[in-house]
Amino acid sequence: RGQCVVNRGEANPRRKFVFTLTADVPFGFVAVVSGSLPCLGSWQLDRALKLHADNGVWRGTAVLSGNSAETAQHLEYKYIFVSEIGPG
């Protein structure tokens, strides 16, 4: 699930997206969020937001600022498990 928090008290309002995933990720893999916005890699997996695990709960935060915040109205994303071992 993803959650959006808007910091309206700033000169340039920012939106902070907090992504949380509860999952058993296979050994050697990590969870990432890939999506339609630049902060999520613009669907390019090598630029996706890497999540960090704590007791089976994966979390990550993406921040939008300025005009990018407007595009958040059309946010699309998906969670993906990727290998930590690069090609090789």
Side-chain angles (χ1 to χ4, degrees), residues 6-86:
V6 180
N7 300 323
R8 297 185 193 277
E10 301 176 0
N12 292 319
R14 296 180 302 147
R15 291 184 183 191
K16 178 169 61 172
F17 291 90
V18 179
F19 295 93
T20 304
L21 174 68
T22 301
D24 291 324
V25 177
F27 179 77
F29 286 78
V30 295
V32 300
V33 179
S34 182
S36 58
L37 301 179
C39 64
L40 300 177
S42 300
W43 296 116
Q44 295 181 31
L45 196 52
D46 61 331
R47 295 175 44 204
L49 174 67
K50 183 177 178 181
L51 303 182
H52 301 280
D54 184 20
N55 293 322
V57 178
W58 294 77
R59 291 187 177 89
T61 302
V63 178
L64 300 178
S65 61
N67 293 336
S68 296
E70 296 171 10
T71 64
Q73 295 174 9
H74 305 287
L75 171 64
E76 295 180 24
Y77 66 93
K78 60 174 82 173
Y79 294 100
I80 302 170
F81 300 148
V82 296
S83 174
E84 285 189 297
I85 302 170

